[in-house]
Amino acid sequence: MKFRGIALAAALVALGATSQAASAGPAAYNWSGIYIGGQLGYGWGTVAGGPTSVYDDPGGDPDATQDPFNYSNSGLIGGLEAGYNWQSGPMVLGVVGDFSGANIHGSYTDPDNAFMAESTISWLSTARVNIGVPLGSMLLYGTGGVAVAAINSSLHDYYDDDVVITNNAYNTKVGWTLGGGIAAPLGKNWFLKTEYLYVDLGTQNFNFSEPDPPGWALITSSNHTTANILRASLDYKF
């Protein structure tokens, strides 16, 4: 009887331990450490054009002004990223930087005034702070920081069917970005992220001149460029 009692007690202890392990679920992932990886995604947004003015005399009043116009931009984006996470209890703090090549392009054609405007985000880089909360083995986070991008803009002016004058402007713009994402581990060292960023690159002002005749001595305009970035990344944590 004594042996049976001991065996029954041992069985109950083992059953209790098994029940506790089952209720605890899988072990939480440790997000602390340095990581590097690559990302690929898609960007879309809006280019808000300011008034376009033309001058016969750069020092005088505009001879004509075109009303503001907007157009959409879109295209692929992809590149590399590196970061560091520090986990303390139910909070994960991190810093991350990335650099991506892009072809986020858009254009606007005005047949009445015989011109076409277009612009392209050719690369984008961000430096951000992440604040996250673990959800089981996954990580939900918000992110924000500085965005830097190269914007190529062109104005194509049509005078006759066979005469086209093209003016180009290249600017590196500094703006800001906010967003969020979710990360999930793929084994001990790898994890996958899906991320959304809103990027505001501010206003790009540019001045053009055209050969005379038949061009204008000065053309002034501006673009305010924003973009939405949705991308996935695969990272290796050291």
Side-chain angles (χ1 to χ4, degrees):
M1 290 293 293
K2 183 177 181 180
F3 176 79
R4 288 184 179 180
I6 293 174
L8 180 59
L12 290 173
V13 170
L15 181 61
T18 302
S19 176
Q20 289 180 356
S23 62
Y29 187 74
N30 181 11
W31 293 98
S32 293
I34 299 172
Y35 63 91
I36 60 172
Q39 34 88 1
L40 180 65
Y42 188 77
W44 72 98
T46 302
V47 178
T52 301
S53 298
V54 294
Y55 299 78
D56 276 330
D57 178 5
D61 295 328
D63 292 86
T65 298
Q66 165 69 27
D67 291 336
F69 55 88
N70 298 342
Y71 57 92
S72 300
N73 56 9
S74 62
L76 295 176
I77 183 171
L80 302 174
E81 66 180 16
Y84 176 79
N85 286 327
W86 177 72
Q87 183 169 354
S88 177
M91 185 72 68
V92 178
L93 301 178
V95 291
V96 59
D98 59 70
F99 183 88
S100 302
N103 185 31
I104 302 176
H105 174 80
S107 64
Y108 170 84
T109 300
D110 187 330
D112 295 331
N113 295 286
F115 75 89
M116 182 181 78
E118 62 178 339
S119 68
T120 302
I121 300 175
S122 57
W123 60 259
L124 172 68
S125 180
T126 72
R128 292 173 282 125
V129 174
N130 295 344
I131 302 176
V133 178
L135 299 175
S137 63
M138 306 182 74
L139 177 68
L140 182 67
Y141 65 93
T143 185
V146 178
V148 184
I151 303 177
N152 302 314
S153 298
S154 298
L155 178 67
H156 308 279
D157 210 347
Y158 298 81
Y159 288 97
D160 299 303
D161 292 339
D162 57 348
V163 177
V164 179
I165 297 175
T166 297
N167 299 277
N168 299 303
Y170 177 92
N171 289 90
T172 301
K173 296 296 296 180
V174 178
W176 55 270
T177 180
L178 286 175
I182 188 166
L186 299 174
K188 180 180 178 181
N189 297 101
W190 293 93
F191 62 91
L192 180 69
K193 289 194 305 184
T194 301
E195 184 175 73
Y196 166 80
L197 296 176
Y198 176 82
V199 179
D200 189 318
L201 297 171
T203 300
Q204 176 193 23
N205 297 309
F206 42 83
N207 301 323
F208 299 124
S209 60
E210 295 181 338
D212 188 23
W216 298 96
L218 179 66
I219 301 174
T220 64
S221 191
S222 64
N223 286 339
H224 187 108
T225 302
T226 59
N228 303 275
I229 308 296
L230 184 62
R231 60 190 180 185
S233 64
L234 180 64
D235 296 279
Y236 181 86
K237 183 172 73 71
F238 294 92

